[in-house]
Amino acid sequence: MRINKESFKSDFKRKLTTLYAESIRSASNFHKYYALASLVKDYSSEKWMNSNDYYSSQKKKQVYYFSMEFLIGRLLGSNLLNLGIRDLCREALAELDINLDELEELEHDAGLGNGGLGRLAACFLDSMASVGIAGHGCGIRYDYGLFEQKIVNGYQVEIPDNWLKNGNVWEVRREDKAVVVKFGGKVTPVLENDTLTFEHTDYEAVLAIPYDTPIVGYKNNTVNTLRLWSAETIDKDFDLDSFSKGEYTKAVEHKYSVQSISQVLYPDDTRIDGKILRLKQQYFFVSAGLQSILRTFRKTRKPITKLDEYIQIQINDTHPAVAVAELMRILVDEEQVSWDDAWRITTNVMSYTNHTILTEALEKWPIELFKKLLPRIFMIITEINERFCKKIYEKYNDLNLVHDMAIVCDGYVKMAFLAIVGSHSVNGVAKLHTQILKERELNNFYKFFPQKFNNKTNGITHRRWLLKSNPELSKLINKTIGDNWITEPIKLINLLAYSKDKDFQDKMYEIKQANKAEFAKYFYETHGINIDPNSIFDVQVKRLHAYKRQLLNVFNILDLYYRLKENPNLDIVPRTFFFGAKAAPGYYLAKQTIKLINTVADIIDKDQAVNNKIKVIFLENYSVSLAEKIIPCADISEQISTTTKEASGTGNMKLMMNGAITIATLDGANVEICDQVGEENIIIFGMKKDEVMELEKTKRYNSMDYYNSDPRIKRILDNLVNGSLGVSPSEFADIHKYLLANNDEFFVLKDFAAYLDAQNKIDELYRNQDKWREMSIVNIAHSGAFSSDNTIKKYARDIWRINQ
Ligand code: 26V
């Protein structure tokens, strides 16, 4: 389809008329946004249809990324960009006196994820489409995404995210493709003519309706599908059975209980709380997804025994791990495939990605709950478990090991073990993380299945995180090294030749300054708060979690504040510290940390003696679209987790790609960033992996020693609880207790001194602008290695075995 400015303008006007019977003059901005987005969807429809036809006629291998979370953000800008018409559209709209940026701002973020894991899924969808892999997403269409965060009196308040209230222009409801998912009930074995079948009765039937969203590849012909499932009652509004018996309340209750399955995203990415609704969500989308995949496969008339040659499923963390048992159920019960054949097919189809080593996040379900909700699935898992345990025993003759590795054990079903046993590939998300999985967390499984384990370091889509979010820098790069980095991001390396080029350095600096000024303007307009664009922008944006150590950052700020109070002439480069972070609603310590950040922000703000040198900004409601605004402004990227705890991190990659200098521990993908840019272009501090592991093992750490020996730490901790922060002395008593009485689980005090040294080094470095800009360019040049295009090609080659 050829689109030019004139055809676009007339298409747009027609869209406004057909949708709303309005002209450009009378339409509201929201109607203009909606009409534009609807038009963009039309423009992609033909390619979408052709991609689907091509996939079915060529019988091409299809990949399905199963994930509870897809943190997509907005789609208008990225779809325009990928269709290659964003500039044309911007100019054409300008001729109609319409500002494209303003319309893009009206789209509500699709926030169907908590953080890194969900955003990774979204980056992978963009990359699969852009490198031309037939790769689709399968998940849940939550009515409410991750809560909206308000800060009231310094505290986080959660507000439901009603993201669908004005409609969702991108999705297509496909009622014709609905499937039924069965919960509960009774399963009875039936032996007839020597064949054993299982009769499932008295179950609750839930209708799963798919909503499809096109995923547009970058300037190619690929449009893949993100299929999200919504739960509805089969009889629409009422449970007719109860209704006809006159039990009206029960009839309506049933409706609400079914709809609750896809109602809301769980906002906690820190602990499992064993809620039955979450297991229901998991089985709901996994079963619906597999049924629809199998239905499409049957149409190809290929033998079911070849399923694994045409279908690959990536299990994103353990949340969809029940897919292993559900595929076995379909193959054995519905397709009458033998157990052994079904098992070969299933393990060839499935692969599992692990995203965390934190034990409190490893999913396990109480047997009783599991059995009641999914009786047939439980039987199948028991069978898988028995066969697996037998093999362990045969190999090692060791019952303790059988106990440690059993999928069903100690009253629980262990989802990670099910995922490992039922997959042909198990991967971690950064080199260090995979190494720790192999050496420690999953060592037993690694020894048993060494060939399954592999690393796939995470990546980010450079199209959203550079090309779209930082257009001026992208233009400068195009002018300097050409634009082939857009399709081959590794080519960004050609910028190395310009790292010392004064002219390039200056232009890059001007762009950073302009981004900062624009952000300051936006922030003033939306919050009435002034930010100095000439200060260093020091940015820590990620979920709030103790292991990510936002506390370390705040403590450095407090120490700096006290030093400035003691010595008002202390020579520092003015700095603005930005925090963006949501805390899980039930995570008390994380919420108190938000209150502490805001308390410190207030104190500094009110203090004339320091407020022209340092400032703290808490970015309310950190989200994908806010990330796109702040990341291009960052001078410093804070990646300061306790080494071994951050599986990879992806914000680290986004920030380096936009020229920020990283201050980091050697954790997750920071290690690989350091390998790429070299130690002289990153600021590394703190304990290394072996030190952390040693301290954890020997339990020799005593946080009190650091309190007693470092007067800076003593001052900060004492002031937390003596009322000097202008709040009640009890306000931060629990943070104090967590660090001292409870011995500081994530070694904040231990790394404190090293972190302060590193921060001072940064202050010095920034003064040497030649060096700083050179470092910044080196970082951008190496960031191409972290494009998710590269990551996804490795998944395709090594795990999905797709020949590109
Ligand atoms: C965990 C849980 C625990 C049970 C309750 C619900 C829930 C929901 C989400 C999660 C996900 C935790 C794992 C996670 O987000 N890992 C992050 O994955 C990123 C992508 O691989 C990686 O960059 C981050 O380092 C890692 O923390």
Side-chain angles (χ1 to χ4, degrees), residues 90 117 312 373 640 745 773:
R90 182 187 303 284
L117 167 138
Q312 288 292 302
L373 186 71
I640 59 180
E745 185 183 358
R773 292 175 199 179

Side-chain angles (χ1 to χ4, degrees), residues 18-147:
T18 51
L19 276 178
Y20 301 113
E22 281 175 333
S23 67
I24 288 177
R25 260 190 340 148
S26 61
S28 67
N29 267 354
F30 185 77
H31 280 180
K32 287 177 196 154
Y33 151 72
Y34 202 93
L36 173 61
S38 170
L39 182 59
V40 170
K41 189 166 148 233
D42 290 353
Y43 287 156
S44 62
S45 296
E46 207 173 302
K47 281 190 190 174
W48 197 9
M49 183 177 68
N50 292 340
S51 287
N52 285 332
D53 287 352
Y54 174 72
Y55 292 157
S56 47
S57 68
Q58 298 278 310
K59 321 241 178 326
K60 208 177 147 143
K61 203 181 234 183
Q62 305 288 304
V63 175
Y64 296 90
Y65 200 80
F66 274 39
S67 177
M68 286 281 269
E69 307 190 3
F70 288 93
L71 193 42
I72 302 282
R74 293 173 175 152
L75 280 176
L76 177 55
S78 59
N79 281 349
L80 281 169
L81 194 80
N82 286 6
L83 287 172
I85 56 170
R86 193 153 177 246
D87 290 338
L88 176 150
C89 195
R90 182 187 303 284
E91 288 163 23
L93 287 171
E95 288 171 17
L96 299 171
D97 238 359
I98 298 169
N99 181 319
L100 175 61
D101 296 325
E102 276 173 31
L103 298 194
E104 287 182 4
E105 282 291 307
L106 296 175
E107 180 168 356
H108 199 111
D109 272 36
L112 308 185
N114 274 284
L117 167 138
R119 182 54 230 177
L120 184 76
C123 283
F124 280 2
L125 290 181
D126 184 71
S127 284
M128 287 192 289
S130 295
V131 307
I133 291 171
H136 315 282
C138 175
I140 298 174
R141 179 184 180 269
Y142 300 105
D143 297 326
Y144 294 86
L146 184 63
F147 64 85

Side-chain angles (χ1 to χ4, degrees), residues 169-183:
V169 63
W170 305 110
E171 67 187 10
V172 182
R173 178 181 161 98
R174 298 211 192 271
E175 246 175 287
D176 55 317
K177 296 207 155 72
V179 298
V180 173
V181 178
K182 299 173 183 175
F183 293 100

Side-chain angles (χ1 to χ4, degrees), residues 65 68-69 114-121 265-274 278 282 316-319 353-358 360-363 428-430 433 456 458 547-548 645-653 668-669:
Y65 200 80
M68 286 281 269
E69 307 190 3
N114 274 284
L117 167 138
R119 182 54 230 177
L120 184 76
L265 166 83
Y266 271 86
D268 196 326
D269 61 352
T270 53
R271 300 161 297 135
I272 42 156
D273 63 358
R278 188 163 160 95
Q282 297 182 347
N316 196 25
D317 218 285
T318 53
H319 321 147
T353 306
N354 174 289
H355 293 267
T356 182
I357 61 159
L358 297 177
E360 59 272 30
L362 288 183
E363 279 193 304
V429 289
H433 170 59
K456 293 287 167 285
N458 283 165
Y547 83 80
K548 295 179 188 279
K645 305 300 177 195
E646 189 70 272
S648 162
T650 44
N652 44 5
M653 302 167 185

